[in-house]
Amino acid sequence: MSTPTGTRSVGAAATVSRLRTAHTTGRTRPTAWRKAQLRALRRLLVEQEDVFVSALRADLGKSAVEAYVTEIGFTIKEIDHTLRRLDRWLRPRRVPVPLSLQPARARTVREPLGTVLVISPWNYPLQLALAPLVGALAAGNCVVVKPSELAPATSAALAHWLPRVLDPAAVAVVEGGVPETTDLLEQRFDHIFYTGNGTVGRVVMTAAARHLTPVTLELGGKSPAVVEPGADLATAARRIAWGKFMNAGQTCVAPDYVLAVGDAASGIESHLTAAIREMYGDDPAASADYGRVVDERHFDRLTALLADGRTVTGGGHDRANRYIAPTVLADVDPGSGVMREEIFGPILPIVRVPDLDAAIAFITARDKPLALYAFTASGRSKRRLVAETSSGALAFGVPNAHLTVPGLPFGGVGESGLGGYHGRHSLDTFSHTKSVLDKPLPADTLRVAYPPFTAGKARLLRRLT
Ligand code: NAD
C-alpha cells in the first residue's frame, strides 16, 4: 500500500504492456494452451484446497464445507464443464449465404479479445476471481486478476499461487485497493470484468469509456423473496434461511427481504425462527458453520439497521468478533433504512403485502433485482411473475442455486448489472465473434451490382435484395 504513486502506475503499465506483448505472440490462442491452463488451475484447487480453506476462514470465518461448496468446488465444476465442451464451443459455425451473394461461404469464428482485467470482491473472493478467469482463459486471453483487498488472505494466496501454476507470461495478479485499481483502470484493456457494488461499477465504466473498452458489471441490489400463503411455508423458510444466512448474508444473490403475501407473513415468521435454530443451534455464535461480517465498517452499518423492525429472532451482536446473529425483522416499514439499500448481511426483513398485485407493484417500483425468488404453489402466480417483472434471474422454490446451473447465464439487469457469464456465456463474454465471408474471385457473379445501373439491372437488384 505504501508504494509511491509514480512507481505503482509504472508497475501497472509495465504489467499490462508485458501481457499485451505476450498476446500478440499468439501463445494464448491454441486450444491446447487454454486447456493446459484450465487443467493447471484445477490441479491447484485440488492440491492446495487446505490453503484456500484456511484463507477463506481467516477472511470471512467460512466453514470448510461452505468454502468447498461455494468457492473451490464451484470453480472446479466450472472448469470441468468448460473443458468438456470447449472444442465444441470453439468450432466455427457455418451461416447460410443469401442467393444474391452465391457462390460464397460464411461462418463465425470466435477470437480472443486480447488482455482483460478481472476485478473481484471480498464476499466470495476465490470464486469471483477464478470463475471469470476460467472464461477468460478458455477464450484465449491474457488476464490481470485484481482480488479484493478486503479479503487479504485469499488475495495473498491467489497472488502466490496463480503465477506459479499458470503461464506467467499471460496471467498476472495485482494486489491492492483503490489506488492500485485506479492505476490499472488507466491502462487500456480489451475487456473489464468487474464484480462489486454499483458505485464502483460506475467508476469502472467511466474509466473503460476512455479506451472504448467493453465492460461486464456484476453488481448487487435487493433481491426479494415472495412468499405466498398456499406454499409449503416450512420448506420455504428453511430454503430462505439457507440462502440468506450462508456466508453471514454476504451473498450477492441472497434473498434480501421477504415479501409476504397476505396470511403468509405470520406463518413464515415462526418457520424462519425454527429453521435458523435447526441450522445454527441456540447460539449461532458457537456454530462452526456460521460466518462473520467482513469488517468493522460493515458491522457498524449492519447493526444500525437492527432497530428497523420488530425482532422475530436474533439481534445479538459482538463487535470484537464481527458477529451478528441471524436476524429476522417483522413489521418493517418499506421506507426504513433496512429497505432502502442492499443489506448484504445476516438481517432478513419481512414486508407484508396484501396480494400478488401489490407484490409485483412493490418489485417493479424499485431497481431491477439481481435475483427474484418466489415460493408459491400457484402456476398462475409463476406465470405472472415471469411475464410482469424483470430481474437478472427468477427462481421458484429455491434461492441462490440458479448460479450453479452452468447453462444459465449469470448476471444482472439495470442497476444489478450488465452482461453475464458462466459456462458458454463466459466464452461469449470474453471472445469476439468474428464474421467471415469467403466469395471466390473467378467468375464475377457480382457484375449486376456494379454501376452503371441500367433499368434491367435495377429491376434485378430490387428482386435480389
Ligand atoms: P469490494 O469492496 O471488495 O470491491 C470490489 C472491487 O472493487 C475490489 O477489488 C476493490 O478493490 C475494487 N474497488 C473498490 N473501490 C474502488 C474504486 N474507487 N475504484 C476502483 N476499484 C475499486 O466489494 P463490494 O463492492 O463491497 O462488494 C459487494 C457488492 O458486490 C454487493 O453490492 C454485492 O451484491 C455485489 N456482488 C455482486 C456479485 C455478482 O456476481 N453480481 C457477486 C458478489 C458481490
Side-chain angles (χ1 to χ4, degrees):
M1 293 285 161
S2 57
T3 322
T5 314
T7 323
R8 221 181 40 225
S9 64
V10 169
T15 302
V16 178
S17 153
R18 180 168 68 75
L19 297 200
R20 293 194 84 85
T21 306
H23 193 260
T24 58
T25 65
R27 68 189 291 136
T28 65
R29 281 186 178 256
T31 310
W33 180 90
R34 307 179 193 196
K35 287 183 178 170
Q37 301 308 305
L38 297 184
R39 287 197 190 102
L41 187 57
R42 189 187 199 288
R43 242 186 342 267
L44 170 70
L45 292 171
V46 172
E47 288 172 5
Q48 302 303 330
E49 180 182 328
D50 291 350
V51 169
F52 292 117
V53 166
S54 306
L56 291 164
R57 179 169 290 282
D59 287 333
L60 290 148
K62 262 186 213 204
S63 75
V65 175
E66 211 176 285
Y68 188 83
V69 172
T70 65
E71 306 239 28
I72 300 164
F74 180 96
T75 311
I76 290 175
K77 283 212 177 71
E78 181 75 6
I79 293 172
D80 290 345
H81 179 82
T82 305
L83 276 172
R84 246 180 266 130
R85 293 162 181 80
L86 190 58
D87 288 319
R88 179 151 44 89
W89 291 342
L90 290 176
R91 235 175 263 150
R93 291 188 187 240
R94 284 283 293 274
V95 172
V97 175
L99 192 64
S100 53
L101 259 185
Q102 284 183 9
R105 274 195 309 212
R107 64 187 191 280
T108 58
V109 198
R110 284 179 190 275
E111 58 184 25
L113 294 173
T115 297
V116 304
L117 172 62
V118 173
I119 305 174
S120 54
W122 51 265
N123 63 330
Y124 288 84
L126 187 89
Q127 186 215 124
L128 295 173
L130 297 188
L133 176 65
V134 169
L137 292 172
N141 296 287
C142 290
V143 193
V144 176
V145 180
K146 212 302 289 173
S148 176
E149 73 282 17
L150 298 186
T154 311
S155 176
L158 291 172
H160 176 83
W161 284 104
L162 292 187
R164 282 179 169 72
V165 301
L166 300 177
D167 180 352
V171 179
V173 179
V174 174
E175 288 191 87
V178 176
E180 289 76 8
T181 318
T182 306
D183 289 338
L184 282 173
L185 287 173
E186 275 166 18
Q187 315 306 315
R188 187 159 77 81
F189 286 94
D190 300 296
H191 193 92
I192 301 176
F193 189 104
Y194 169 79
T195 306
N197 67 75
T199 307
V200 177
R202 284 166 169 81
V203 172
V204 169
M205 201 165 176
T206 305
R210 283 199 293 271
H211 300 290
L212 220 55
T213 297
V215 293
T216 302
L217 301 178
E218 295 285 340
L219 310 178
K222 292 182 89 63
S223 297
V226 176
V227 181
E228 286 206 306
D232 170 350
L233 294 185
T235 307
R238 269 196 302 274
R239 293 196 186 162
I240 291 171
W242 166 75
K244 175 73 182 190
F245 299 111
M246 83 171 44
N247 203 26
Q250 301 162 116
T251 303
C252 57
V253 289
D256 186 272
Y257 61 98
V258 170
L259 211 45
V261 177
D263 293 346
S266 50
I268 200 77
E269 279 183 25
S270 53
H271 285 301
L272 280 167
T273 304
I276 291 167
R277 186 168 310 118
E278 210 178 286
M279 289 177 201
Y280 301 111
D282 287 332
D283 178 16
S287 163
D289 300 324
Y290 187 64
R292 295 295 181 265
V293 172
V294 67
D295 61 15
E296 278 79 14
R297 186 173 66 84
H298 283 281
F299 178 89
D300 294 341
R301 176 182 66 76
L302 287 163
T303 46
L305 302 176
L306 288 170
D308 284 353
R310 168 172 58 83
T311 306
V312 174
T313 182
H317 50 276
D318 167 13
R319 196 169 193 269
N321 291 308
R322 304 190 321 267
Y323 166 77
I324 300 178
T327 299
V328 177
L329 300 178
D331 308 332
V332 172
D333 179 336
S336 62
V338 78
M339 286 305 295
R340 274 200 304 272
E341 294 202 348
E342 180 181 6
I343 298 167
F344 219 57
I347 304 171
L348 181 65
I350 302 175
V351 176
R352 275 172 188 259
V353 281
D355 51 28
L356 189 65
D357 285 332
I360 290 175
F362 193 95
I363 295 161
T364 54
R366 288 165 172 74
D367 290 337
K368 293 179 179 179
L370 184 57
L372 169 60
Y373 304 114
F375 299 82
T376 175
S378 157
R380 181 165 183 275
S381 298
K382 289 185 183 179
R383 286 192 295 280
R384 285 198 60 193
L385 287 164
V386 172
E388 297 175 37
T389 65
S390 177
S391 53
L394 168 58
F396 298 112
V398 63
N400 306 16
H402 56 285
L403 62 95
T404 66
V405 181
L408 290 176
F410 177 61
V413 56
E415 283 287 323
S416 57
L418 177 66
Y421 72 127
H422 285 179
R424 190 176 59 76
H425 305 283
S426 292
L427 209 65
D428 293 340
T429 290
F430 287 109
S431 313
H432 167 60
T433 304
K434 182 160 71 182
S435 297
V436 179
L437 175 67
D438 184 358
K439 182 162 177 60
L441 272 172
D444 200 351
T445 48
L446 281 183
R447 274 169 186 279
V448 66
Y450 308 150
F453 298 119
T454 60
K457 273 191 184 175
R459 267 197 308 279
L460 194 59
L461 280 173
R462 286 178 74 91
R463 274 224 301 283
L464 287 174
T465 51

